[in-house]
Amino acid sequence: MTTEALTARSGAGIAGRVSGWLVESVLPVASVVALILVVWYGAAILMNGPQVLDRFHRAGVTPTNAEIVAATYAMDRPVLPAPHQIAAEFADSVFGRAVTSKRSLVYHAWVTLSATLAGFAAGVVLGLVLAIGIVEVRALEKGLMPWIIASQTIPILAIAPMIVVIFGTLGLTGLVPKAVISMYLSFFPVAIGMVKGLRAPDRLQLDLMRTYSATPRDVLLKLRLPAATPYLFSGLKIAIAIALVGAVVAELPTGATAGIGARLLSGSYYGQTIQIWAALLMAALIGVGLTGIVALIERVTLKAMGARP
C-alpha cells in the first residue's frame, strides 16, 4: 500500500471518529439545549406578556404581535428573563467587573466555592471515618446507621439558621458555619456509598485473605478499600454537588453580603430577576465543573488501578 493510500485511510479514520463523536455526544446535547431554548422563549412570552400588554394599554397603544414579543424580551424586571438577557447579565457580571468588586459574580462565586470545598473535604473525612467504623465494628452499625439516615430527613432550611446562630454565639461566622452545613449534607452519600463498597468483597476473597494470615488492617487496606474505590467516587460526585447546595443555602439565613446566596437575596429584595438567574447559572456552572473534576480524577485513579475503561 502506498504512502498516499495510508495517509488517505488514516484521514478517513480520523474523520469517521470525529463524525461518530459529533453524532453520539454533541448532537444529543445540542438537540436538548435547542429544545430548552425554544420552550424557554415561549414561556417568557406567556409569563411576561400580561405586564407588557398592561403597559401598552396604559399608554393607549395597540401593539402588534411583533411589538409584544419584542417587549417581553426587553423588560428590565421580567417575570421570566429570556436566555439572552441572562447571558448578557452573566457576561457583564463576570467579564465586565473587576474580580474584587462586590458586583462581580467571580468574587461571589469564590466566596461560595471556598465554603463548598471546605465543607466537602470535612464531609469526605467524616463519611470515610463513619463508614470504616460501621464496617469494622458491628455495634456501630446498629448504633450509628439509623441516626445517619435520620439526619438527612431534617430539611436543611430548618437546620441552617440554628447552625448559624449556634456558631455565631461562639464567635464563629463567615466560612465556618457554611462549611459545617455543607459537611452536614455531603458526608451522607460518602458514608452510605463507602459502607456498600467496603462490603463489596465476597466471602471467598475474605477467606483467601485469612489464609494468608492477613490482619484486619491488611484486609481493610488491601482488599476492602480498593474494592470500595468505585463506590467512593460515585458518592463523591453526589457529595460535591450537594456541598455546593449547602453552601448556597447557608448564605441565605445569615444575611450574607458575599456569595451566590447573597446575590440571590439581593436580587429577590430588589426584584432583579435577571440577576437571580445569572447567579443560578454561575452556581450551575460551578456544580458542573466540580463534578467534572471529580469524574476526571475517578477516571485517572481507576485506570491506574487497572480498571477497564
Side-chain angles (χ1 to χ4, degrees), residues 7 42 46 53 63 67 78 88 91 96 130 141 168 191 193 199 209 223 245 256 283 300:
T7 303
L46 293 176
L53 289 174
E67 290 174 333
L130 289 175
E141 179 178 8
R199 290 176 173 167
M209 292 293 289
L223 178 61
V245 174
V300 173

Side-chain angles (χ1 to χ4, degrees), residues 41-309:
Y41 274 107
I45 295 174
L46 293 176
M47 299 187 72
N48 300 330
Q51 293 186 18
V52 169
L53 289 174
D54 183 64
R55 291 180 183 179
F56 278 119
H57 291 160
R58 288 175 182 271
V61 177
T62 302
T64 63
N65 290 334
E67 290 174 333
I68 294 174
V69 172
T72 58
Y73 293 156
M75 296 177 63
D76 292 332
R77 297 182 179 182
V79 176
L80 178 64
H84 69 270
Q85 291 179 293
I86 300 172
E89 172 67 21
F90 181 85
D92 180 64
S93 300
V94 172
F95 304 107
R97 311 284 179 182
V99 295
T100 56
S101 171
K102 290 191 175 181
R103 298 186 65 183
S104 170
L105 265 179
V106 177
Y107 168 79
H108 292 285
W110 170 249
V111 173
T112 301
L113 180 61
S114 59
T116 299
L117 295 177
F120 172 70
V124 170
V125 173
L126 178 60
L128 288 174
V129 171
L130 289 175
I132 293 173
I134 288 171
V135 171
E136 295 294 326
V137 183
R138 290 289 182 179
L140 291 180
E141 179 178 8
K142 295 181 179 180
L144 285 179
M145 188 60 77
W147 292 104
I148 292 174
I149 296 173
S151 70
Q152 301 303 301
T153 64
I154 304 174
I156 189 60
L157 287 175
I159 197 172
M162 293 187 288
I163 293 177
V164 171
V165 170
I166 291 172
F167 279 90
T169 59
L170 299 176
L172 298 173
T173 58
L175 176 68
V176 176
K178 294 190 292 183
V180 170
I181 294 171
S182 291
M183 178 191 70
Y184 171 79
L185 290 177
S186 61
F187 89 92
F188 180 76
V190 176
I192 297 300
M194 281 300 291
V195 168
K196 184 175 180 62
L198 292 171
R199 290 176 173 167
D202 56 36
R203 178 65 63 182
L204 290 177
Q205 293 172 315
L206 293 172
D207 290 341
L208 180 62
M209 292 293 289
R210 293 190 184 96
T211 61
Y212 293 153
S213 300
T215 64
R217 180 181 178 182
D218 292 330
V219 174
L220 175 64
L221 296 178
K222 298 179 181 181
L223 178 61
R224 292 191 185 276
L225 285 178
T229 301
Y231 297 88
L232 171 62
F233 279 105
S234 296
L236 290 180
K237 285 184 280 190
I238 298 173
I240 192 68
I242 204 169
L244 175 62
V245 174
V248 174
V249 170
E251 291 168 347
L252 300 179
T254 62
T257 58
I260 300 296
R263 292 288 287 180
L264 296 176
L265 280 176
S266 63
S268 64
Y269 288 157
Y270 300 105
Q272 298 290 342
T273 51
I274 301 177
Q275 175 182 310
I276 293 174
W277 280 95
L280 290 174
L281 176 60
M282 175 60 82
L285 292 176
I286 293 173
V288 170
L290 292 175
T291 305
I293 291 172
V294 174
L296 179 61
I297 296 173
E298 176 188 20
R299 181 179 300 179
V300 173
T301 302
L302 294 182
K303 184 177 181 180
M305 295 175 63
R308 293 181 178 179

